[in-house]
Amino acid sequence: MVLFAVIVAGIGVLLALMGLEHGNELELPAPTGHFAVGRSTYAWVNEAATDELAPASGAKREVVVWIWYPAEAGSGSAAEYLPAAWQEPLARSSGVLMTRFLTHDLSKVRVHARSDAAVSGEERSYPVALLRAGGAALTTDFTILAEDLASHGYVVVGFDAPYRSVVTVFPDGRVALRSAAGDIEQAAPAEMANVANRLLPMWTGDARFVVDGLERLNMIDARFRGRLALDKLGFFGHSFGGATALQFCHDDTRCKVGIDLDGEPFGSVVKESTKQPFLILLSDHGNWNAPEPRQVMSDLRSIYDRLPEGRMMLYLRGANHFTFSDQILVKSQYLMGLLQHLQKGSLERRRGLRIVTDYVHTFFDVHLKGGSAEALEGLRREYPEAREIPR
């Protein structure tokens, strides 16, 4: 009885601490490049494609597109981390425990981008990097990566899709939640590959539509007309977004380089690989010879061994799946600390994010801007946590 009371009291204290933490302001790490950062959003309808996951038959596919870009300093207004219109639907979907205790108050998360700022005139046009979040994540969960990359002179284009993303809120107020059929994270292990291979063409199809939309934007949009160097297009994604990057680059020659952040691959790219240089950057799976990581690594090596010159495949010692996104900071530090303890992770959270952002912009610099490959070797010396994966 005494032990039970102690446990209940401990849980109460922990929830109280999480509640206090929830209300604290959180400023995300500052971008490391010299450009100020702007952010704009668009909602696009793909009239040529029907959404197989929509509850209404014949509904067209839609996307909400988030664009971070090099901006004129001082222009625009302060951006919200997640717009207020998205916060309440996300809270309803996530539940009280996740929203009020396990996650910071998103209205108090401070970013560095400015809404609808003018595009910087320092360069005539800027390389473009597609961004795809994985599974339950939203595009804005990768704000740190997006802002940092934009500050180094890239237009970063992420997108959320109804019934695939956990929640999508449109400018007209419509809200679409992820459907059960679109939820890869709830698939039984034995069905994971089948579900992933059914969903993957939808995700890559959305990506193709977004690139098509960027080509139109580059011709007609007042802000971005002529500013998108679409001949220098990269794609980076996390988790199932990383799988999407691999398959998209296999399918679409407009992709020149890609980055898979801790994503298990699916689709035809596993057997056929792809022709673009790729960085594959993984979390620490501990025992790489255990059955699950061994199978994932077999599929990744099937791709990696046939990639062209310029490829890299590393893991971050002490990192977990959250290390690559804002979630490592936005989720409760008590929760993240427990996760690190259970996974025997040792990588300090902000250092982990810094390693990821540096690798992402440097890899793109080498392959989209003609930067020296020595810069990547310099990162290996600066960050010894980035290691070769044992065979």
Side-chain angles (χ1 to χ4, degrees):
M1 190 70 178
V2 173
L3 178 60
F4 177 75
V6 170
I7 292 173
V8 170
I11 292 173
V13 170
L14 180 59
L15 289 175
L17 291 171
M18 287 179 171
L20 290 172
E21 180 189 48
H22 168 79
N24 293 337
E25 287 203 358
L26 173 66
E27 182 176 346
L28 298 184
T32 60
H34 76 274
F35 286 101
V37 178
R39 192 185 78 186
S40 294
T41 59
Y42 296 82
W44 294 340
V45 180
N46 186 350
E47 297 289 353
T50 299
D51 196 331
E52 302 95 316
L53 299 177
S57 176
K60 298 301 181 183
R61 287 196 191 178
E62 300 179 79
V63 290
V64 172
V65 180
W66 309 79
I67 304 181
W68 290 263
Y69 53 91
E72 293 289 352
S75 63
S77 57
E80 297 175 282
Y81 178 65
L82 182 69
W86 289 65
Q87 291 179 32
E88 195 274 334
L90 179 63
R92 284 203 315 269
S93 173
S94 303
V96 173
L97 180 62
M98 180 60 71
T99 302
R100 297 286 301 172
F101 295 97
L102 300 181
T103 306
H104 273 80
D105 181 343
L106 298 184
S107 69
K108 296 184 177 181
V109 178
R110 305 297 176 225
V111 302
H112 302 275
R114 308 283 293 180
S115 288
D116 298 324
V119 179
S120 172
E122 182 174 325
E123 298 179 19
R124 186 180 64 81
S125 63
Y126 299 93
V128 177
L130 290 186
L131 161 62
R132 192 64 173 101
L138 293 173
T139 297
T140 50
D141 289 332
F142 292 84
T143 293
I144 296 168
L145 266 172
E147 288 188 342
D148 190 77
L149 191 53
S151 79
H152 285 271
Y154 292 84
V155 175
V156 182
V157 183
F159 56 97
D160 294 307
Y163 319 115
R164 288 175 275 292
S165 299
V166 63
V167 63
T168 308
V169 180
F170 292 94
D172 61 8
R174 287 177 299 130
V175 176
L177 300 178
R178 181 172 54 174
S179 71
D183 189 352
I184 188 173
E185 295 171 339
Q186 298 303 314
E191 288 299 311
M192 177 69 75
N194 289 335
V195 173
N197 286 319
R198 177 173 55 82
L199 292 175
L200 191 58
M202 303 180 200
W203 285 54
T204 55
D206 289 337
R208 282 194 301 275
F209 172 66
V210 168
V211 178
D212 293 343
L214 293 174
E215 292 176 343
R216 293 190 296 272
L217 203 72
N218 210 26
M219 292 187 290
I220 64 174
D221 186 79
R223 177 174 292 111
F224 293 108
R225 184 170 54 242
R227 310 309 302 276
L228 309 179
L230 289 166
D231 59 329
K232 299 175 181 178
L233 176 71
F235 194 159
F236 69 112
H238 177 249
S239 194
F240 196 56
T244 304
L246 283 163
Q247 187 63 45
F248 175 85
C249 292
H250 166 278
D251 297 342
D252 197 315
T253 58
R254 291 177 294 183
C255 175
K256 306 306 180 188
V257 60
I259 300 174
D260 172 13
L261 300 173
D262 214 30
E264 177 180 357
F266 298 97
S268 58
V269 70
V270 174
K271 291 185 178 180
E272 298 171 7
S273 191
T274 187
K275 296 180 179 179
Q276 301 88 344
F278 251 84
L279 166 64
I280 299 171
L281 191 60
L282 304 176
S283 61
D284 190 344
H285 290 264
N287 180 9
W288 293 94
N289 290 315
E292 183 177 353
R294 186 169 66 243
Q295 180 57 54
V296 173
M297 284 309 306
S298 175
D299 290 343
L300 284 172
R301 289 204 183 279
S302 174
I303 297 167
Y304 181 76
D305 287 347
R306 289 172 289 165
L307 289 173
E309 185 177 354
R311 64 189 181 182
M312 293 187 75
M313 184 158 65
L314 303 167
Y315 80 99
L316 298 183
R317 179 72 172 167
N320 62 54
H321 199 54
F322 291 98
T323 296
F324 303 85
S325 79
D326 307 349
Q327 297 291 312
I328 198 74
L329 297 182
V330 173
K331 294 302 182 190
S332 167
Q333 297 308 284
Y334 299 100
L335 175 65
M336 289 294 102
L338 176 61
L339 180 63
Q340 280 190 306
H341 175 73
L342 292 175
Q343 295 185 339
K344 297 181 174 58
S346 58
L347 183 58
E348 196 277 325
R349 289 180 279 271
R350 287 180 181 262
R351 180 171 173 82
L353 284 167
R354 181 61 181 271
I355 295 172
V356 175
T357 55
D358 280 358
Y359 264 98
V360 167
H361 79 72
T362 303
F363 195 77
F364 281 146
D365 283 350
V366 170
H367 295 286
L368 293 178
K369 292 186 174 183
S372 171
E374 172 57 29
L376 290 167
E377 291 305 313
L379 292 182
R380 294 290 305 277
R381 294 188 291 271
E382 183 176 358
Y383 300 124
E385 297 93 335
R387 302 186 178 186
E388 299 281 351
I389 298 166
R391 286 188 177 267

